[in-house]
Amino acid sequence: MGVRIEERLLEVRAGIAAACAAAGRATTEVKLVAVSKKHPPERIREAYAAGQRDFGENYAQELRDKARALSDLPEIRWHFIGRIQSNKARYIVPLAIRVHAVDSVSHAQALAKRAREAPVPCLVEVNLSLEATKAGATEAEALTLCEALHGIEGIDLKGLMTMPPYVHDPEVVAPLFARLAHLAAEGRRRGLPLHELSMGMTVDYPVAIRHGATWVRIGTAIFGPREG
Ligand SMILES: *Cc1c(COP(=O)(O)O)cnc(C)c1O
């Protein structure tokens, strides 16, 4: 048996509230995506029972399977936060209320092609640390990519997302969060609807909130360590 999810969720919500208070922001400005990848549906059910509604998954088939297993939970909302593979768009689009990590026009087109009633709400992933292993548009190309996505009919551009390198001291990545916020503001000046910032995970979410995060994506602090 693992952690008590209800208690962990309370702690995380208190942490978000404290970070908002410290930053002079309303708690309602920051929403929590509980990252449930590699955790079984029963744990998600526990979190749902404790009031959590937004869940994040990284793998398209895992998302599809869990959405099926949990289709009796009427208010559950899924976020796709992983790397996109164009041939998996059919699993993602009907389920996800946000696709957080779009980083190319071709991925956006694959998503848009599957859009039915409404355009697909997307965020553009920006790689600010320029780690070669990380996905994401570069800072220099991000707004050009946003402009291209904004022009695609089946896409509803919402904002920017980033995933900094793992560090022990979250203050080290604070400048990256500040740069993402700055980039979104620059995009808004150019007329792009970049109102959402998806940034902040277990180790660094208070810092991300200080710099304007509107979605924090938190896994370990809620569900405990993942296997594999
Ligand atoms: C796994 C993951 C998270 C959650 O990370 P934790 O450190 O467990 O909070 C957030 N965002 C993305 C994109 C992830 O892949």
Side-chain angles (χ1 to χ4, degrees), residues 35 37 58 81 161 163 201-203 217-221 226:
V35 177
K37 62 171 179 235
N58 290 59
I81 63 171
M161 176 269 203
M163 189 159 169
M201 317 197 304
T202 291
V203 289
R217 312 178 309 267
I218 301 180
T220 309
R226 292 175 287 271

Side-chain angles (χ1 to χ4, degrees), residues 3 5 9 12 16 31-40 43-44 47 52-59 62-63 66 77-82 100 161-163 198-205 215-227:
V3 295
I5 286 177
L9 261 174
V12 168
I16 292 171
K31 285 181 254 162
L32 170 62
V33 178
V35 177
S36 45
K37 62 171 179 235
K38 296 185 179 167
H39 293 288
R43 314 301 310 277
I44 299 174
Q52 180 62 26
R53 291 294 178 267
D54 290 274
F55 293 89
E57 289 287 338
N58 290 59
Y59 308 99
E62 191 176 337
L63 168 65
K66 285 178 178 170
R77 290 185 293 263
W78 296 104
H79 296 244
F80 190 74
I81 63 171
H100 285 240
M161 176 269 203
T162 199
M163 189 159 169
S198 172
M199 57 188 197
M201 317 197 304
T202 291
V203 289
D204 54 20
Y205 75 86
W215 293 108
V216 289
R217 312 178 309 267
I218 301 180
T220 309
I222 297 168
F223 294 104
R226 292 175 287 271
E227 277 161 43

Side-chain angles (χ1 to χ4, degrees), residues 13 41 45 68 83 101 114 154 158 163 170 178 185 198 226:
R13 289 197 193 114
R45 221 173 255 291
R68 254 184 217 158
R83 282 194 190 193
R114 298 278 167 183
K158 293 289 191 187
M163 189 159 169
S198 172
R226 292 175 287 271

Side-chain angles (χ1 to χ4, degrees), residues 59-91:
Y59 308 99
Q61 274 127 317
E62 191 176 337
L63 168 65
R64 176 200 59 186
D65 294 345
K66 285 178 178 170
R68 254 184 217 158
L70 298 166
S71 60
D72 60 310
L73 303 179
E75 291 173 7
I76 199 161
R77 290 185 293 263
W78 296 104
H79 296 244
F80 190 74
I81 63 171
R83 282 194 190 193
I84 295 158
Q85 292 170 279
S86 294
N87 61 344
K88 305 282 168 58
R90 66 184 184 280
Y91 302 139

